[in-house]
Amino acid sequence: MSGIGKGIATASIGRILKSKGFKVTAIKIDPYINVDAGTMNPVEHGEVFVTDDGIECDQDVGNYERFLDENIYTDNYMTTGRVYQAVINRERNLEYQGRCVEVVPDIPNEVIDTIKRAGKKVKADFVLIEIGGTVGEYQNMLFLEAARMLKLQHPKDVLFILVSYFPVPTIIGEMKTKPTQYAVRTLNSAGIQPDMILARSVLPLDEPRKRKVSNFCNVEKEDIISAPDVKSVYEVPINFEKENIGNRILKKFGLKPKQSNLKEWDDLVKMINDSPKPVEIGIVGKYFETGSFTLLDSYISVIEAVKHAAFAHNRKAKITWLSAEKYEKNPDELKELDSFAGIIVPGGFGNRGIEGKIKVIEYCRKNKKPFLGLCLGLQLSVIEFARNVCGYKDATSAEFKQKSKNIIIDVMPEQKVLLKEKKYGGTMRLGAYDCNLTEGTISSRAYGKKQISERHRHRYEVNNDYREALEKKGMLIAGLNPEKDLVEIIEVKGHPFFVASQFHPEFKSRPLNPHPLFREFIKAAIK
Ligand code: GLN
């Protein structure tokens, strides 16, 4: 079922196989109709992750990139909508040469072709495929059918791993295996026999239960992997390896490890578990309140990037979620920002919470509080500066107000046409674009190079008509896109760390390779 860590499990197995000397890539299959995650509400679906080649996909793709330390591309993300769209386009282009195109086998065949393309693109030894949803539900049936057919076509090259939940009802305090027994039977009825079972639970799986599951589910005992909850997701590969999962997988393919190299990862986990000193970071957002729960999935890449940067300084990030709207109602609340070492204003869309975020930015600028703005965070930083330093009192963004004298953040001309035609899906400025850094800025020192490439997801931009006025008053344009002369990074002169980027640096941060802007932000915060 969803939420038990299939993504982290997939990513962790990938990391393990990579550590044994193999080239690995991973594919996420989401059974919903949406063509991509770009149009989904982040509170409901979590973060929209963006790849270098510009797909807006599920946050698990971010987990793959973070764990594998490899880039993931378009063919590594499938949804029902995406697959059907590809088949329908092919049919319209006469690629099926006039024959009747059918749900089975044409849809599963398209899935199989996509899997093969994804593997070929990066010359992978292993392609890990995560099929979302629950065994037995209607939505993922065609993907399971594709998996069955793939195994039939390549019997020696396909292995199935079932990630299953083992509840421990608090009333009896005993771990139950029955749901897994039923899951395997349901999977069997789809023509699939799992080769391994990952036992997700609050507790480790004990010997008697391993024996029982092995017996009832037709899986060797050594292939039932205990996967209890852990404090940090980065511990999962280490935990899996304790159960020898990597070599078990290789053995089934008749392979031997070429090397064994999880040491750096192991050292990182040891450092995390050593309870290092915290660094207190406040993140001001609006996509985390859902009913009586706080869900932080909408900001997962930001959270992980902060953690990675803290790890680099032997610290543990302690993140507090600050709701932007409360500063609008009660500006006195801004005082609480004093208790944080640094503040982040991340990406976002629409009017809600805007004025509260602008107040936070003003506070950080005036009180020399280390500040990092991401995408919308840059746009609001420029608006704040225009209003409070340059004197354009009505400064705003075309996203919030179409009629204002001073539209400091404007919609790009090509975007205007798309919005008018209601073409919202997959049409933002997406994926990697170059940025030239200005010498002598915090950003150029952080990266230690002149040109960088970073990932984008936005429709609005700094209006170049105001650049001179902003610069005159002490705003530094620290990064520019060379092709279109677009503002990519701003800083504030004389501030210890006030950096905001139009791109999303969080998408490129990796646990053993933290992003330079986050790394320097945390350094300033610690100082
Ligand atoms: N809403 C803004 C835009 O579309 C910022 C987007 C973001 O933060 N990702 O330009």
Side-chain angles (χ1 to χ4, degrees), residues 46-110:
E47 171 190 86
V48 178
F49 189 79
V50 180
T51 58
D52 257 5
D53 63 358
I55 37 160
E56 297 173 284
C57 49
D58 183 81
Q59 61 184 46
D60 271 330
V61 175
N63 286 325
Y64 301 164
E65 287 204 350
R66 285 187 281 273
F67 278 67
L68 290 175
D69 201 1
E70 302 278 349
N71 281 352
I72 300 286
Y73 302 95
T74 303
D75 283 331
N76 295 54
Y77 175 57
M78 273 183 262
T79 66
T80 298
R82 236 178 153 69
V83 177
Y84 269 83
Q85 196 176 52
V87 169
I88 291 168
N89 286 344
R90 265 187 226 298
E91 186 276 324
R92 296 286 80 188
N93 298 343
L94 260 182
E95 286 180 47
Y96 296 101
Q97 283 146 1
R99 73 169 170 81
C100 179
V101 183
E102 299 187 90
V103 172
V104 180
D106 291 303
I107 297 294
N109 274 340
E110 182 67 31

Side-chain angles (χ1 to χ4, degrees), residues 117-167:
R117 270 201 312 275
K120 267 202 191 113
K121 179 169 173 87
V122 296
K123 299 196 175 70
D125 299 311
F126 284 99
V127 181
L128 295 160
I129 305 150
E130 178 192 347
I131 303 183
T134 305
V135 168
E137 74 177 86
Y138 183 76
Q139 280 212 99
N140 58 18
M141 239 149 60
L142 288 169
F143 293 107
L144 292 180
E145 180 65 357
R148 183 193 64 79
M149 284 163 61
L150 190 65
K151 171 93 180 176
L152 184 71
Q153 291 165 17
H154 307 275
K156 293 204 176 100
D157 293 333
V158 179
L159 180 140
F160 291 113
I161 303 180
L162 173 70
V163 184
S164 190
Y165 180 55
F166 289 67

